[in-house]
């Protein structure tokens, strides 16, 4: 028996919801089942230790943020991070945006009280508006349709950027424009771009001009939270007769909705996309093994990604028993580190923030654990933006707590800005290279 779905909005108008769902069902899918299969193959390579997953984007996308600059900035930052990881870490990078569908948010309370007034909590632009008013906070099913159209516009631009010349490796310098001056991460990136230029010129001189240099593969992902939306975009694949949720290539289940027997896990069992689950510090090895049994009973590499989000202070104790038991079970999952959600703190101003050093420390802990156990640190999952926001503290530009007021623009959790994201990519590349050079811990070889 499946229990009722957690974290669903209280839609006041069920008839309108029904009409919206019918509307969504009649609209074309946003992605194709064959693309989902291709991503599953790429993730299988990650699971085998042959590639690295870079997944990221806003905590919560917004309708207002569905503009060329904001989408382009995120895409470009993801590309820059990927090129740093590929070149400095010497590893193929699978690029997945937390983009084109990340419009629904799980929340810790159903309502929010301000000055004695209690209203429904903001659950993401697909549900209600962030403004604190009755009109904005009342869930509106029509927003699911707008979320679809914003996802479609976002993905359309990303697909063009990925294939239409923008992502050509020979433009590696151009991605860094309007950024170099004064920024340590930007300057470090310029040096790396110079090296890549020389390498490309060398290959050209040798007569090689591979297709892979001209375009990138880009995939979309979001949390499969709002089940009315996800079900309406779930279609039967004519090739295989199997169901795919074609709202994105990869869907994940959040820490709050991953209960076994819950509606979200039940939904994920029924679709053939690659799926992921967030795993917090309270999860037991038994919980994780049961999730594998539910979501990846055939131990198919690439099907299941486990995104651990333990917190810098807990990862070194909490992660090893999980990794050990999963490895012993024979399942070949992708292990990914989300160094954001276990490291959220409240600043004196009351704003949610994260320390860049905590983020780094959790990633370092993730690599340490996998090295000690001889398993593959498969990737990172981050919340970032291409804009110069001031939401997280630290990094090469030394954002201070007092800077949070300058540009704090997130609709939900604090994001790394462009410089912090690039800084992180350089640090992860170093960790990766050290891991690859030294290999698994000697005791495990
Ligand atoms: C998120 O990814 O924004 C989120 C809510 O994460 P988690 O499910 O890990 O808490
Ligand atoms: Mn978040």
């Amino acid at each position: 028996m499946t229990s009722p779905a957690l974290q669903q909005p209280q839609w006041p108008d069920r008839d309108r919801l029904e009409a919206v769902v019918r509307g969504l069902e009649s609209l074309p899918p946003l992605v194709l089942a064959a693309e989902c299969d291709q991503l599953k193959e790429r993730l299988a390579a990650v699971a085998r230790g042959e590639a690295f997953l870079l997944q990221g984007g806003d905590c919560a996308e917004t309708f207002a943020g569905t503009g060329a600059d904001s989408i382009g900035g995120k895409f470009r930052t993801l590309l820059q991070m990927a090129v740093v990881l590929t070149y400095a870490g010497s590893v193929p990078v699978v690029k997945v945006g937390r983009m084109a569908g990340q419009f629904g948010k799980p929340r810790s309370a159903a309502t929010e009280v301000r000055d004695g007034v209690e209203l429904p909590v903001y659950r993401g632009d697909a549900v209600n508006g962030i403004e604190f008013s009755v009109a904005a906070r009342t869930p509106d099913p029509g927003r699911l349709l707008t979320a679809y159209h914003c996802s479609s516009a976002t993905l359309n631009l990303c697909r063009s950027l990925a294939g239409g010349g923008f992502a050509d490796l020979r433009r590696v310098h151009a991605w860094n424009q309007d950024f170099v001056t004064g920024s340590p991460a930007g300057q470090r990136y310029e040096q790396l771009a110079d090296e890549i230029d020389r390498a490309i010129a060398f290959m050209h001189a040798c007569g090689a001009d591979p297709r892979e240099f001209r375009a990138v593969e880009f995939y979309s992902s979001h949390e499969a939270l709002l089940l009315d939306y996800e079900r309406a975009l779930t279609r039967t694949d004519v090739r295989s007769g199997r169901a795919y949720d074609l709202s994105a290539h990869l869907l994940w289940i959040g820490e709050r909705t991953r209960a076994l027997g819950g509606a979200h896990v039940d939904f994920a069992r029924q679709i053939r996309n690659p799926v992921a689950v967030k795993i917090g510090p309270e999860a037991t090895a038994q919980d994780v093994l049961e999730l594998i049994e539910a979501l990846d009973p055939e131990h198919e590499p690439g099907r299941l990604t486990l995104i651990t989000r333990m917190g810098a202070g807990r990862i070194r104790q909490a992660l090893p028993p999980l990794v050990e038991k999963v490895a012993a079970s024979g399942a070949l999952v992708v292990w990914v580190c989300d160094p954001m959600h276990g490291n959220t703190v409240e600043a004196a101003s009351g704003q949610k923030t994260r320390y860049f050093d905590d983020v780094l420390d959790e990633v370092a802990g993730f690599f340490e654990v996998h090295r000690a156990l001889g398993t593959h640190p498969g990737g990172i999952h981050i919340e970032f933006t291409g804009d110069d926001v001031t939401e997280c503290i630290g990094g090469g530009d030394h954002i201070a707590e007092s800077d949070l007021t300058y540009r704090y623009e997130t609709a939900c959790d604090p994001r790394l800005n462009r410089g912090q994201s690039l800084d992180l990519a350089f640090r992860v590349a170093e960790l990766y290279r050290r891991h690859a050079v030294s290999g698994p811990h000697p005791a495990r070889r």
Side-chain angles (χ1 to χ4, degrees):
M1 257 286 284
T2 304
S3 31
L6 300 176
Q7 296 284 343
Q8 303 305 292
Q10 296 292 319
W11 303 109
D13 185 345
R14 299 298 300 185
D15 291 344
R16 175 84 180 115
L17 176 67
E18 281 306 308
V20 163
V21 166
R22 296 289 96 77
L24 286 169
E25 284 169 352
S26 70
L27 284 162
L30 293 170
V31 304
L32 297 180
E35 295 172 332
C36 301
D37 290 346
Q38 192 175 54
L39 174 58
K40 205 190 284 176
E41 275 176 36
R42 302 293 179 258
L43 292 171
V46 177
R48 291 192 300 267
E50 299 158 5
F52 193 76
L53 172 66
L54 173 62
Q55 184 181 20
D58 289 308
C59 177
E61 290 181 288
T62 61
F63 298 163
T66 309
D69 289 349
S70 163
I71 298 165
K74 272 178 276 183
F75 187 87
R76 183 179 57 183
T77 306
L78 196 73
L79 267 188
Q80 288 192 274
M81 293 183 76
V83 94
V84 167
L85 282 160
T86 308
Y87 190 81
S90 307
V91 61
V93 174
V94 182
K95 299 166 242 341
V96 179
R98 199 184 145 110
M99 290 171 78
Q102 180 56 21
F103 292 104
K105 296 308 302 170
R107 303 312 302 260
S108 45
T111 61
E112 181 183 348
V113 180
R114 284 192 205 172
D115 301 326
V117 180
E118 185 173 13
L119 291 177
V121 72
Y122 172 64
R123 289 184 180 274
D125 273 14
V127 175
N128 55 4
I130 198 166
E131 187 197 298
F132 195 75
S133 69
V134 176
R137 289 294 175 89
T138 304
D140 170 8
R143 284 176 166 270
L144 293 174
L145 275 174
T146 313
Y148 169 90
H149 290 295
C150 286
S151 301
S152 166
T154 302
L155 194 54
N156 183 56
L157 182 58
C158 289
R159 287 187 191 276
S160 293
L161 292 170
F166 179 84
D168 192 313
L169 250 194
R170 283 163 299 190
R171 291 177 49 88
V172 68
H173 277 287
W175 306 335
N176 204 39
Q177 261 168 20
D178 62 89
F179 184 52
V180 229
T181 36
S183 156
Q187 283 165 1
R188 194 167 173 197
Y189 177 88
E190 273 304 287
Q191 287 168 13
L192 179 131
D194 283 341
E195 285 179 40
I196 292 176
D197 267 353
R198 272 200 298 279
I200 292 176
F202 169 72
M203 291 192 61
H204 230 233
C206 297
D209 188 13
R211 193 172 46 86
E212 286 78 4
F213 283 8
R214 297 181 181 276
V216 295
E217 274 179 25
F218 172 82
Y219 298 97
S220 64
S221 73
H222 63 261
E223 177 172 351
L225 181 74
L226 303 170
L227 293 179
D228 291 314
Y229 180 83
E230 304 302 340
R231 287 192 189 113
L233 285 162
T234 297
R235 310 286 160 87
T236 304
D237 173 32
V238 287
R239 303 167 312 162
S240 61
R242 311 291 297 267
Y244 284 74
D245 179 354
L246 300 178
S247 69
H249 298 109
L250 178 142
L251 284 313
W252 79 82
I253 304 173
E255 163 75 357
R256 291 177 173 88
T257 51
R258 64 168 167 75
L260 223 63
H264 292 83
V265 171
D266 203 49
F267 170 74
R269 297 167 81 123
Q270 294 165 33
I271 56 171
R272 294 312 305 152
N273 308 54
V275 294
V277 186
K278 294 281 203 95
I279 304 289
E282 309 297 339
T284 64
Q286 192 57 30
D287 295 337
V288 177
L289 292 176
E290 285 173 7
L291 280 166
I292 292 174
E293 187 49 37
L295 295 170
D296 182 25
E298 281 152 35
H299 294 180
E300 177 191 5
R303 158 70 175 168
L304 182 61
T305 294
L306 298 175
I307 306 171
T308 61
R309 28 88 82 222
M310 303 290 182
R314 299 183 71 175
I315 183 161
R316 291 169 178 83
Q317 290 75 45
L319 186 56
L322 308 186
V323 174
E324 254 173 335
K325 297 270 174 23
V326 171
S329 80
L332 199 57
V333 302
V334 173
W335 289 103
V336 168
C337 175
D338 165 358
M340 315 298 293
H341 289 90
N343 296 308
T344 316
V345 294
E346 195 173 300
S349 58
Q351 286 157 312
K352 280 197 275 187
T353 190
R354 290 159 174 157
Y355 286 87
F356 184 77
D357 285 348
D358 290 343
V359 169
L360 260 187
D361 190 31
E362 176 150 2
V363 178
F366 174 77
F367 274 86
E368 283 164 31
V369 169
H370 284 288
R371 175 165 146 70
L373 298 175
T375 44
H376 179 56
I380 55 167
H381 175 119
I382 58 165
E383 290 182 341
F384 80 94
T385 164
D387 301 327
D388 297 325
V389 299
T390 57
E391 298 170 4
C392 293
I393 297 172
D397 287 323
H398 304 292
I399 308 284
E401 184 164 342
S402 56
D403 294 328
L404 293 181
T405 46
Y406 289 135
R407 277 193 74 178
Y408 194 93
E409 299 173 3
T410 182
C412 196
D413 289 338
R415 304 159 297 175
L416 300 175
N417 64 23
R418 189 177 173 195
Q420 289 167 329
S421 302
L422 268 192
D423 272 343
L424 181 66
F426 277 109
R427 305 295 282 267
V428 173
E430 276 160 27
L431 287 166
Y432 194 88
R433 196 151 58 173
R434 240 185 283 152
H435 183 89
V437 167
S438 53
H441 192 275
R444 298 276 166 171
R445 258 178 230 158

